[in-house]
Amino acid sequence: MASKVSCLYVLTVVCWASALWYLSITRPTSSYSGHRQFNTISIARKNVSFGNIRTRPINPHSFDFLINEPTKCEKSIPFLVILISTTHKEFDARQAIRETWGDENNFKGIKIATLFLLGKNSDPVLNQMVEQESQIFHDIIVEDFIDSYHNLTLKTLMGMRWVATFCSKAKYVMKTDSDIFVNMDNLIYKLLKPNTKPRRRYFTGYVINGGPIRDVRSKWYMPRDLYPDSNYPPFCSGTGYIFSADVAEMIYKTSLHTRLLHLEDVYVGLCLRKLGIHPFQNSGFNHWKMAYSLCRYRRVITVHQITPEEMHRIWNDMSSKKHLRLLVYRLQAPFIKAQKLKGARVKSKILYILLVRALEISS
Ligand SMILES: *[C@@H]1O[C@H](CO)[C@@H](O)[C@H](O)[C@H]1NC(C)=O
Ligand SMILES: *[C@@H]1O[C@H](CO)[C@@H](O)[C@H](O)[C@H]1NC(C)=O
């Protein structure tokens, strides 16, 4: 069977090659103008035919936008585009994100663009509701693939395509899910640093070095015939990863020639390996749930499995205690200055924790 296929392939290539050769040779008998015309035609044919043979996409992503926001980046170029994978029914999760960390107006002078990613639902009522939601908030994009867990990779690729097509001048992109809390202060000021030169070919998140799970009951089951290797390339957990915007187009274009896998984050890892881009590990990205405490959440970038109610509660608590950090710093600064002993740092840390606790209780 295999030899038959390869025989056919060789034959096709030979046929095309001879046809092209035949078309491209000049004919001494033709007139000057005729000759030129003939040549341009043959060049045009060459491009078309060779393009088809060599670069026919195996994963063409030939979907159309049903809802699009093509002008979102026209007025000003975003520093950060946030792509949030969501499902139709998660109206309250989307609203919670809009009202908390995903609010595009949280930062003065730093433009954020938030977009929710969706496919097409089989229920026309849900599609209509999402359409109405989109008309109010203008932060949803939808392509006409069927929205399902197995199509999550298409959702991510839609996001990459959107950035590459409508927002390629943005500096950074984050891809995350609707049940993730993002500490935007840390993300923007500690990780991305708006005042520094934007990075290129940059990719970071919670890096996983793993292999396929062959247990059919697992959420992450990978059939052997789809992915025979025993290891995945390093990939960032789909719960939240960040990349420089130039990577969006690179991944999208690479995906056209990379066989589709339903595990979105693994698939992006495969594209990164093809591109020679290594994802950086960053301990601020939490792949798992983490009980809320102000101290803890101040150190992270993402936390997983947060309900819309928790999102509001966490956001309100952190926003109302923003002043605490400064206050605590002022209180402990003289203490650090006064003691230049070795134990001073440890002691000041204990003092810091005690102060935060005291202020948390009192406020
Ligand atoms: C075909 O390719 C050549 C060289 O790559 C280019 O100069 C020419 O404009 C192309 N023609 C068409 C019709 O795209
Ligand atoms: C994914 O979307 C494509 C295009 O709409 C569809 O043909 C396919 O059935 C979907 N896959 C799943 C598992 O829903």
Side-chain angles (χ1 to χ4, degrees):
M1 188 65 203
S3 69
K4 246 190 205 169
V5 171
S6 61
C7 232
L8 227 106
Y9 180 71
V10 169
L11 247 162
T12 319
V13 171
V14 168
C15 277
W16 274 106
S18 17
L20 287 170
W21 174 76
Y22 175 76
L23 285 172
S24 60
I25 50 168
T26 53
R27 293 183 185 179
T29 49
S30 62
S31 70
Y32 180 71
S33 61
H35 175 132
R36 255 182 56 172
Q37 208 175 10
F38 188 81
N39 246 350
T40 44
I41 291 168
S42 73
I43 285 170
R45 277 192 198 160
K46 227 188 216 166
N47 290 2
V48 172
S49 52
F50 258 133
N52 280 350
I53 291 175
R54 273 214 225 123
T55 60
R56 183 193 295 134
I58 53 173
N59 175 33
H61 196 88
S62 44
F63 302 106
D64 294 321
F65 281 105
L66 296 177
I67 300 178
N68 195 4
E69 294 296 335
T71 58
K72 202 166 172 88
C73 296
E74 252 170 28
K75 262 197 214 143
S76 57
I77 297 163
F79 175 69
L80 175 65
V81 178
I82 306 173
L83 304 171
I84 304 158
S85 192
T86 166
T87 59
H88 288 71
K89 287 184 182 164
E90 293 174 317
F91 296 99
D92 49 351
R94 283 193 289 276
Q95 197 54 26
I97 291 174
R98 279 184 197 114
E99 290 171 0
T100 58
W101 61 265
D103 185 347
E104 294 177 345
N105 306 311
N106 278 339
F107 296 91
K108 291 209 171 61
I110 296 173
K111 171 146 162 113
I112 313 278
T114 307
L115 276 178
F116 296 97
L117 313 177
L118 282 170
K120 183 176 62 178
N121 203 285
S122 50
D123 180 353
V125 176
L126 280 176
N127 286 330
Q128 255 172 26
M129 286 168 78
V130 162
E131 181 136 10
Q132 283 167 3
E133 187 184 339
S134 149
Q135 280 166 12
I136 300 170
F137 299 105
H138 291 285
D139 59 3
I140 296 176
I141 56 173
V142 181
E143 262 182 3
D144 62 354
F145 57 83
I146 292 168
D147 196 305
S148 70
Y149 180 72
H150 263 71
N151 270 344
L152 273 185
T153 307
L154 294 180
K155 227 176 245 184
T156 297
L157 291 177
M158 161 174 74
M160 305 270 178
R161 177 191 181 191
W162 187 89
V163 171
T165 316
F166 303 108
C167 206
S168 60
K169 294 212 172 86
K171 300 291 182 291
Y172 292 99
V173 182
M174 171 178 213
K175 150 62 226 345
T176 188
D177 293 338
S178 51
D179 60 345
I180 305 290
F181 178 81
V182 182
N183 183 330
M184 290 289 280
D185 279 327
N186 281 353
L187 171 59
I188 290 178
Y189 295 110
K190 289 206 177 143
L191 182 66
L192 301 178
K193 303 194 177 101
N195 295 324
T196 60
K197 194 168 160 258
R199 284 157 275 206
R200 313 282 292 167
R201 294 172 65 86
Y202 172 76
F203 204 101
T204 189
Y206 180 93
V207 179
I208 298 171
N209 287 288
I213 295 173
R214 305 295 190 193
D215 182 349
V216 281
R217 288 161 299 180
S218 168
K219 187 181 169 192
W220 298 288
Y221 168 64
M222 177 60 73
R224 212 173 282 274
D225 58 339
L226 210 55
Y227 192 89
D229 280 10
S230 57
N231 286 307
Y232 288 140
F235 65 95
C236 288
S237 162
T239 51
Y241 50 80
I242 308 278
F243 48 96
S244 51
D246 57 328
V247 177
E249 185 178 2
M250 292 185 204
I251 289 180
Y252 179 68
K253 285 197 169 157
T254 306
S255 80
L256 302 177
H257 306 283
T258 307
R259 188 180 172 190
L260 205 62
L261 287 184
H262 60 285
L263 299 179
E264 170 264 335
D265 40 15
V266 173
Y267 186 77
V268 170
L270 286 172
C271 292
L272 289 178
R273 181 169 65 184
K274 276 195 178 178
L275 290 162
I277 296 174
H278 301 281
F280 282 107
Q281 181 69 277
N282 185 311
S283 58
F285 291 86
N286 287 280
H287 183 47
W288 309 109
K289 193 175 171 78
M290 193 172 161
Y292 177 69
S293 103
L294 184 63
C295 283
R296 224 185 264 158
Y297 272 53
R298 266 193 184 154
R299 276 187 244 117
V300 303
I301 294 176
T302 62
V303 186
H304 192 195
Q305 288 175 0
I306 304 294
T307 63
E309 297 76 43
E310 285 174 306
M311 199 91 86
H312 280 291
R313 221 168 342 108
I314 293 168
W315 176 259
N316 290 341
D317 193 62
M318 290 186 84
S319 313
S320 66
K321 287 171 186 165
K322 246 182 186 164
H323 61 284
L324 277 190
R325 184 185 301 208
L326 254 178
L327 183 62
V328 167
Y329 179 75
R330 283 203 192 120
L331 283 171
Q332 71 171 351
F335 182 80
I336 297 171
K337 264 187 206 159
Q339 296 197 34
K340 288 188 175 162
L341 300 166
K342 260 197 170 176
R345 282 212 157 267
V346 179
K347 278 184 204 156
S348 77
K349 191 154 188 186
I350 294 169
L351 180 70
Y352 173 83
I353 291 165
L354 288 175
L355 273 169
V356 170
R357 283 282 140 76
L359 288 164
E360 265 185 68
I361 292 163
S362 68
S363 64

PDB file of all heavy atoms in Angstrom, residues 11-26:
ATOM      1  N   LEU A  11       5.239   9.746  -9.548  1.00  0.00           N
ATOM      2  CA  LEU A  11       4.695   9.940 -10.891  1.00  0.00           C
ATOM      3  C   LEU A  11       4.109  11.348 -11.044  1.00  0.00           C
ATOM      4  O   LEU A  11       4.364  12.033 -12.034  1.00  0.00           O
ATOM      5  CB  LEU A  11       3.582   8.911 -11.139  1.00  0.00           C
ATOM      6  CG  LEU A  11       3.931   7.874 -12.207  1.00  0.00           C
ATOM      7  CD1 LEU A  11       3.018   6.680 -12.091  1.00  0.00           C
ATOM      8  CD2 LEU A  11       3.857   8.490 -13.598  1.00  0.00           C
ATOM      9  N   THR A  12       3.349  11.774 -10.053  1.00  0.00           N
ATOM     10  CA  THR A  12       2.734  13.100 -10.095  1.00  0.00           C
ATOM     11  C   THR A  12       3.795  14.183 -10.184  1.00  0.00           C
ATOM     12  O   THR A  12       3.721  15.099 -10.998  1.00  0.00           O
ATOM     13  CB  THR A  12       1.897  13.345  -8.813  1.00  0.00           C
ATOM     14  OG1 THR A  12       1.213  12.162  -8.516  1.00  0.00           O
ATOM     15  CG2 THR A  12       0.956  14.504  -8.970  1.00  0.00           C
ATOM     16  N   VAL A  13       4.829  14.023  -9.343  1.00  0.00           N
ATOM     17  CA  VAL A  13       5.891  15.027  -9.327  1.00  0.00           C
ATOM     18  C   VAL A  13       6.579  15.077 -10.681  1.00  0.00           C
ATOM     19  O   VAL A  13       6.815  16.157 -11.233  1.00  0.00           O
ATOM     20  CB  VAL A  13       6.909  14.722  -8.191  1.00  0.00           C
ATOM     21  CG1 VAL A  13       8.123  15.615  -8.311  1.00  0.00           C
ATOM     22  CG2 VAL A  13       6.251  14.888  -6.833  1.00  0.00           C
ATOM     23  N   VAL A  14       6.873  13.902 -11.259  1.00  0.00           N
ATOM     24  CA  VAL A  14       7.548  13.846 -12.561  1.00  0.00           C
ATOM     25  C   VAL A  14       6.689  14.519 -13.628  1.00  0.00           C
ATOM     26  O   VAL A  14       7.178  15.320 -14.433  1.00  0.00           O
ATOM     27  CB  VAL A  14       7.879  12.372 -12.944  1.00  0.00           C
ATOM     28  CG1 VAL A  14       8.315  12.270 -14.399  1.00  0.00           C
ATOM     29  CG2 VAL A  14       8.963  11.824 -12.025  1.00  0.00           C
ATOM     30  N   CYS A  15       5.391  14.208 -13.603  1.00  0.00           N
ATOM     31  CA  CYS A  15       4.476  14.799 -14.585  1.00  0.00           C
ATOM     32  C   CYS A  15       4.487  16.313 -14.510  1.00  0.00           C
ATOM     33  O   CYS A  15       4.633  17.005 -15.505  1.00  0.00           O
ATOM     34  CB  CYS A  15       3.047  14.318 -14.332  1.00  0.00           C
ATOM     35  SG  CYS A  15       2.761  12.713 -15.073  1.00  0.00           S
ATOM     36  N   TRP A  16       4.345  16.816 -13.278  1.00  0.00           N
ATOM     37  CA  TRP A  16       4.331  18.274 -13.100  1.00  0.00           C
ATOM     38  C   TRP A  16       5.644  18.891 -13.550  1.00  0.00           C
ATOM     39  O   TRP A  16       5.657  19.914 -14.212  1.00  0.00           O
ATOM     40  CB  TRP A  16       4.077  18.622 -11.626  1.00  0.00           C
ATOM     41  CG  TRP A  16       2.619  18.667 -11.296  1.00  0.00           C
ATOM     42  CD1 TRP A  16       1.914  17.757 -10.586  1.00  0.00           C
ATOM     43  CD2 TRP A  16       1.686  19.682 -11.676  1.00  0.00           C
ATOM     44  NE1 TRP A  16       0.610  18.123 -10.506  1.00  0.00           N
ATOM     45  CE2 TRP A  16       0.432  19.299 -11.164  1.00  0.00           C
ATOM     46  CE3 TRP A  16       1.786  20.868 -12.425  1.00  0.00           C
ATOM     47  CZ2 TRP A  16      -0.716  20.058 -11.366  1.00  0.00           C
ATOM     48  CZ3 TRP A  16       0.640  21.622 -12.611  1.00  0.00           C
ATOM     49  CH2 TRP A  16      -0.587  21.207 -12.081  1.00  0.00           C
ATOM     50  N   ALA A  17       6.727  18.237 -13.147  1.00  0.00           N
ATOM     51  CA  ALA A  17       8.040  18.788 -13.479  1.00  0.00           C
ATOM     52  C   ALA A  17       8.208  18.874 -14.992  1.00  0.00           C
ATOM     53  O   ALA A  17       8.663  19.891 -15.523  1.00  0.00           O
ATOM     54  CB  ALA A  17       9.130  17.917 -12.860  1.00  0.00           C
ATOM     55  N   SER A  18       7.790  17.821 -15.719  1.00  0.00           N
ATOM     56  CA  SER A  18       7.981  17.872 -17.177  1.00  0.00           C
ATOM     57  C   SER A  18       7.061  18.902 -17.805  1.00  0.00           C
ATOM     58  O   SER A  18       7.449  19.600 -18.744  1.00  0.00           O
ATOM     59  CB  SER A  18       7.801  16.486 -17.832  1.00  0.00           C
ATOM     60  OG  SER A  18       7.147  15.606 -17.002  1.00  0.00           O
ATOM     61  N   ALA A  19       5.848  19.015 -17.260  1.00  0.00           N
ATOM     62  CA  ALA A  19       4.918  20.011 -17.794  1.00  0.00           C
ATOM     63  C   ALA A  19       5.507  21.407 -17.625  1.00  0.00           C
ATOM     64  O   ALA A  19       5.488  22.232 -18.542  1.00  0.00           O
ATOM     65  CB  ALA A  19       3.580  19.906 -17.076  1.00  0.00           C
ATOM     66  N   LEU A  20       6.054  21.666 -16.440  1.00  0.00           N
ATOM     67  CA  LEU A  20       6.623  22.983 -16.161  1.00  0.00           C
ATOM     68  C   LEU A  20       7.829  23.250 -17.035  1.00  0.00           C
ATOM     69  O   LEU A  20       8.017  24.340 -17.545  1.00  0.00           O
ATOM     70  CB  LEU A  20       7.027  23.071 -14.687  1.00  0.00           C
ATOM     71  CG  LEU A  20       5.839  23.185 -13.732  1.00  0.00           C
ATOM     72  CD1 LEU A  20       6.311  23.026 -12.283  1.00  0.00           C
ATOM     73  CD2 LEU A  20       5.144  24.531 -13.909  1.00  0.00           C
ATOM     74  N   TRP A  21       8.620  22.218 -17.202  1.00  0.00           N
ATOM     75  CA  TRP A  21       9.811  22.374 -18.030  1.00  0.00           C
ATOM     76  C   TRP A  21       9.388  22.704 -19.454  1.00  0.00           C
ATOM     77  O   TRP A  21       9.900  23.607 -20.095  1.00  0.00           O
ATOM     78  CB  TRP A  21      10.635  21.071 -17.983  1.00  0.00           C
ATOM     79  CG  TRP A  21      11.797  21.088 -18.925  1.00  0.00           C
ATOM     80  CD1 TRP A  21      12.965  21.741 -18.772  1.00  0.00           C
ATOM     81  CD2 TRP A  21      11.856  20.419 -20.191  1.00  0.00           C
ATOM     82  NE1 TRP A  21      13.771  21.533 -19.841  1.00  0.00           N
ATOM     83  CE2 TRP A  21      13.113  20.723 -20.745  1.00  0.00           C
ATOM     84  CE3 TRP A  21      10.986  19.588 -20.921  1.00  0.00           C
ATOM     85  CZ2 TRP A  21      13.522  20.226 -21.983  1.00  0.00           C
ATOM     86  CZ3 TRP A  21      11.398  19.101 -22.135  1.00  0.00           C
ATOM     87  CH2 TRP A  21      12.650  19.423 -22.655  1.00  0.00           C
ATOM     88  N   TYR A  22       8.366  21.989 -19.916  1.00  0.00           N
ATOM     89  CA  TYR A  22       7.879  22.200 -21.267  1.00  0.00           C
ATOM     90  C   TYR A  22       7.366  23.626 -21.428  1.00  0.00           C
ATOM     91  O   TYR A  22       7.651  24.303 -22.408  1.00  0.00           O
ATOM     92  CB  TYR A  22       6.756  21.198 -21.580  1.00  0.00           C
ATOM     93  CG  TYR A  22       6.107  21.428 -22.919  1.00  0.00           C
ATOM     94  CD1 TYR A  22       6.767  21.049 -24.085  1.00  0.00           C
ATOM     95  CD2 TYR A  22       4.865  22.046 -23.013  1.00  0.00           C
ATOM     96  CE1 TYR A  22       6.194  21.278 -25.324  1.00  0.00           C
ATOM     97  CE2 TYR A  22       4.290  22.281 -24.245  1.00  0.00           C
ATOM     98  CZ  TYR A  22       4.950  21.897 -25.401  1.00  0.00           C
ATOM     99  OH  TYR A  22       4.380  22.133 -26.611  1.00  0.00           O
ATOM    100  N   LEU A  23       6.610  24.075 -20.433  1.00  0.00           N
ATOM    101  CA  LEU A  23       6.024  25.415 -20.514  1.00  0.00           C
ATOM    102  C   LEU A  23       7.074  26.516 -20.436  1.00  0.00           C
ATOM    103  O   LEU A  23       6.898  27.588 -20.972  1.00  0.00           O
ATOM    104  CB  LEU A  23       5.011  25.603 -19.382  1.00  0.00           C
ATOM    105  CG  LEU A  23       3.682  24.885 -19.591  1.00  0.00           C
ATOM    106  CD1 LEU A  23       2.848  24.977 -18.328  1.00  0.00           C
ATOM    107  CD2 LEU A  23       2.920  25.503 -20.768  1.00  0.00           C
ATOM    108  N   SER A  24       8.159  26.240 -19.715  1.00  0.00           N
ATOM    109  CA  SER A  24       9.115  27.325 -19.488  1.00  0.00           C
ATOM    110  C   SER A  24      10.173  27.447 -20.582  1.00  0.00           C
ATOM    111  O   SER A  24      10.869  28.448 -20.642  1.00  0.00           O
ATOM    112  CB  SER A  24       9.785  27.151 -18.127  1.00  0.00           C
ATOM    113  OG  SER A  24      10.445  25.918 -18.113  1.00  0.00           O
ATOM    114  N   ILE A  25      10.299  26.431 -21.453  1.00  0.00           N
ATOM    115  CA  ILE A  25      11.317  26.591 -22.512  1.00  0.00           C
ATOM    116  C   ILE A  25      10.834  27.603 -23.550  1.00  0.00           C
ATOM    117  O   ILE A  25       9.643  27.710 -23.836  1.00  0.00           O
ATOM    118  CB  ILE A  25      11.674  25.239 -23.219  1.00  0.00           C
ATOM    119  CG1 ILE A  25      10.398  24.514 -23.655  1.00  0.00           C
ATOM    120  CG2 ILE A  25      12.571  24.385 -22.357  1.00  0.00           C
ATOM    121  CD1 ILE A  25      10.672  23.359 -24.597  1.00  0.00           C
ATOM    122  N   THR A  26      11.761  28.364 -24.057  1.00  0.00           N
ATOM    123  CA  THR A  26      11.391  29.395 -25.025  1.00  0.00           C
ATOM    124  C   THR A  26      11.319  28.775 -26.414  1.00  0.00           C
ATOM    125  O   THR A  26      11.990  27.785 -26.705  1.00  0.00           O
ATOM    126  CB  THR A  26      12.429  30.521 -25.021  1.00  0.00           C
ATOM    127  OG1 THR A  26      13.700  29.921 -25.218  1.00  0.00           O
ATOM    128  CG2 THR A  26      12.405  31.272 -23.714  1.00  0.00           C
TER     129      THR A  26
END
